[in-house]
Amino acid sequence: MKKVDVIIIGAGASGLMCAIEAGKRGRSVLVLEGANKPGKKILMSGGGRCNFTNYSVDSENFISSNPHFCKSALSRYTQWDFLGLIDQYQIPFHERSHGQLFCNDSARDILNMLLAECEKVNVSIQLKSEITTVSKDSESGFTVKTAEQTISCQSLVVASGGLSIPKMGATAFGYQLAEQFGINVVKVYPALVPFTLQPDDKEKLSTLSGISVSCVVSNKRQSFKENVLFTHRGLSGPAILQISSYWKAGEEIIIDFLPDIDLYTEFKQKRAGHVKVLVKTLLSDWLPKRLVDQLIDQSLATSSILDISNQQIEQIIQAIKSWRIKPNATEGYRTAEVTLGGVDCSQISSKTMQSNSVPGLFFIGEVLDVTGWLGGYNFQWAWSSGWCAGQYA
Ligand SMILES: Cc1cc2nc3c(=O)[nH]c(=O)nc-3n(C[C@H](O)[C@H](O)[C@H](O)COP(=O)(O)OP(=O)(O)OC[C@H]3O[C@@H](n4cnc5c(N)ncnc54)[C@H](O)[C@@H]3O)c2cc1C
């Protein structure tokens, strides 16, 4: 039977980072990947340009049942460490809003860098290798079977990711393995995902398809200031993806379409100056006409701002700055960027990523119950957790 020091399940972001680090320590490392290519999600990320980290990373940017868990790994392998690697490979990148860092050319630069690092330390990557069974040996170590071979290892690292985008090779394998070893899995949900609408709303809002507006979107727990995009299926755009990670079925979300405008003062000043303008003309200075038509009742929209009551102004402000909508559902794992929930961090060491109850078994990346916001945080978590496990696996 073939023997290696470390088997890593999954050649994604976290698995490759862990492989590099374990390889640097002189460990023999085999990465088993079910798909026909490594790093498929890296390649499709950030619209092909991979938002690989963020200038500002804090535990506040992550969701977990155990919010302190991610702190240790994020502080031991930071965004600056990853930028150091990027610098070595002279990968050109740029900053977008909110400190998000993207490749100038292609996400392939990131994948090529990781693969080159793997090669330097003799990491083997075996593709199209679906694992059929994993068992713990009586002394120390594990036996892993694929359709073709049986391999034993001292350390087994589960880097199999979450459930999003099943056609890219996402499987529930990591969760099943955790359960096999008695490790709890926190209930999983699709996150960073567009919303679908109730049939009535969908029909009513169909005219808005393609409109994108900078908004503040909030619910009881969080709020995000970014763009909202109306689509033919429902609501999308960064602000919606962000709030989806905090959304519970049946809840309303609230959208402020003019977060930077004090509408009350605008109305007051214009009325005091006797500026004769229609409500919809005034609002169209800041918002697309189609959106104004949808948000404001037609008779009110076509009234002069001088002819409406204070109560009607309140009504307009309410409609624009506190628009409430109850999504029907999310689009699910088919389009979700990540999976919320996962392997329960309370049973994993935050320093080593090793299971507290099963020595030699490690979990890293998205399979854990750590979910980043949109903005490069999920990759930073993959790099940080993968790096930590690589020091001990
Ligand atoms: C469309 C899209 C865009 C994204 N854009 C960004 C972005 O710009 N920035 C950001 O930070 N995050 C982004 N994300 C999220 C990010 O891609 C993931 O959080 C990250 O890839 C997780 O890394 P991972 O190593 O845990 O898992 P993955 O990268 O998903 O890797 C897991 C690997 O395990 C393999 N695998 C699964 N089951 C098995 C099995 N049984 N046997 C063998 N192999 C198996 C899979 O094929 C896969 O290669 C995006 C996600 C999507 C879907």
Side-chain angles (χ1 to χ4, degrees):
M1 181 170 45
K2 185 172 170 179
K3 280 188 173 181
V4 293
D5 293 331
V6 185
I7 287 181
I8 298 174
I9 301 174
S14 63
L16 293 174
M17 179 55 93
C18 179
I20 294 163
E21 290 303 312
K24 281 185 192 165
R25 289 171 42 238
R27 303 283 275 165
S28 58
V29 181
L30 173 64
V31 183
L32 295 176
E33 168 57 55
N36 59 353
K37 283 182 194 149
K40 280 191 174 183
K41 272 195 192 159
I42 297 175
L43 292 179
M44 76 186 302
S45 68
R49 293 233 159 82
C50 188
N51 177 196
F52 54 82
T53 190
N54 195 294
Y55 273 141
S56 162
V57 178
D58 188 275
S59 59
E60 299 283 307
N61 305 120
F62 295 85
I63 306 163
S64 171
S65 314
N66 188 340
H68 300 298
F69 178 82
C70 62
K71 289 182 180 172
S72 167
L74 292 173
S75 67
R76 289 171 70 217
Y77 188 83
T78 68
Q79 68 274 40
W80 310 112
D81 294 313
F82 193 74
L83 282 167
L85 191 57
I86 295 276
D87 193 43
Q88 278 176 42
Y89 280 77
Q90 298 185 345
I91 296 176
F93 66 93
H94 61 278
E95 181 185 357
R96 295 192 193 162
S97 60
H98 302 281
Q100 303 172 85
L101 302 181
F102 286 78
C103 295
N104 285 359
D105 300 327
S106 164
R108 184 161 287 285
D109 288 346
I110 302 290
L111 181 58
N112 286 347
M113 172 184 83
L114 297 169
L115 294 175
E117 287 288 295
C118 281
E119 209 176 314
K120 270 197 210 164
V121 292
N122 299 317
V123 168
S124 303
I125 301 175
Q126 217 170 276
L127 302 173
K128 295 189 201 163
S129 296
E130 279 274 355
I131 291 105
T132 51
T133 57
V134 171
S135 54
K136 176 110 177 87
D137 302 340
S138 47
E139 328 98 63
S140 64
F142 300 83
T143 299
V144 175
K145 286 190 182 168
T146 69
E148 282 90 32
Q149 55 188 155
T150 303
I151 317 153
S152 79
C153 61
Q154 287 169 1
S155 299
L156 180 65
V157 183
V158 184
S160 54
L163 293 174
S164 61
I165 325 275
K167 49 171 210 237
M168 284 290 139
T171 69
F173 180 83
Y175 309 129
Q176 288 155 1
L177 195 75
E179 278 164 353
Q180 178 191 330
F181 285 102
I183 300 168
N184 185 40
V185 175
V186 176
K187 194 167 173 6
V188 292
Y189 297 91
L192 296 181
V193 59
F195 286 132
T196 59
L197 298 176
Q198 317 270 359
D200 284 357
D201 288 330
K202 190 177 170 197
E203 199 187 320
K204 212 168 61 187
L205 301 176
S206 63
T207 55
L208 302 184
S209 184
I211 287 180
S212 175
V213 196
S214 172
C215 299
V216 168
V217 178
S218 41
N219 67 4
K220 288 175 206 142
R221 289 171 288 284
Q222 263 296 343
S223 88
F224 292 96
K225 186 179 181 196
E226 291 192 54
N227 274 34
V228 167
L229 171 70
F230 290 88
T231 70
H232 63 282
R233 280 198 291 262
L235 294 174
S236 187
I240 295 296
L241 301 190
Q242 299 277 37
I243 206 76
S244 74
S245 301
Y246 290 88
W247 183 73
K248 292 198 166 68
E251 270 183 3
E252 276 184 342
I253 55 165
I254 302 163
I255 303 185
D256 178 351
F257 287 105
L258 285 177
D260 298 321
I261 306 275
D262 179 350
L263 264 188
Y264 185 75
T265 304
E266 291 287 342
F267 271 103
K268 203 169 140 195
Q269 283 174 352
K270 295 256 175 349
R271 277 153 67 96
H274 298 284
V275 180
K276 196 168 167 39
V277 60
L278 299 186
V279 167
K280 71 179 200 178
T281 313
L282 177 66
L283 294 175
S284 300
D285 279 351
W286 304 296
L287 291 171
K289 281 196 176 59
R290 274 190 285 157
L291 181 59
V292 174
D293 285 346
Q294 188 56 244
L295 297 176
I296 310 292
D297 182 68
Q298 194 56 16
S299 66
L300 199 49
T302 51
S303 304
S304 161
I305 62 163
L306 302 178
D307 300 335
I308 57 176
S309 65
N310 285 340
Q311 201 190 345
Q312 285 171 312
I313 292 178
E314 279 301 332
Q315 204 182 317
I316 294 166
I317 293 175
Q318 194 74 12
I320 302 276
K321 293 186 75 74
S322 296
W323 188 68
R324 290 167 176 272
I325 187 149
K326 197 185 276 187
N328 184 38
T330 72
E331 285 187 8
Y333 291 113
R334 189 179 60 78
T335 58
E337 281 199 14
V338 285
T339 302
L340 198 64
V343 173
D344 191 342
C345 299
S346 65
Q347 291 174 265
I348 307 292
S349 156
S350 61
K351 185 177 174 198
T352 64
M353 303 291 137
Q354 189 169 194
S355 152
N356 295 332
S357 53
V358 188
L361 182 62
F362 297 73
F363 292 88
I364 56 175
E366 204 183 308
V367 74
L368 283 165
D369 174 27
V370 175
T371 307
W373 288 5
L374 192 77
Y377 300 105
N378 286 295
F379 278 131
Q380 186 57 46
W381 173 245
W383 316 136
S384 297
S385 58
W387 185 91
C388 286
Q391 312 307 312
Y392 303 95

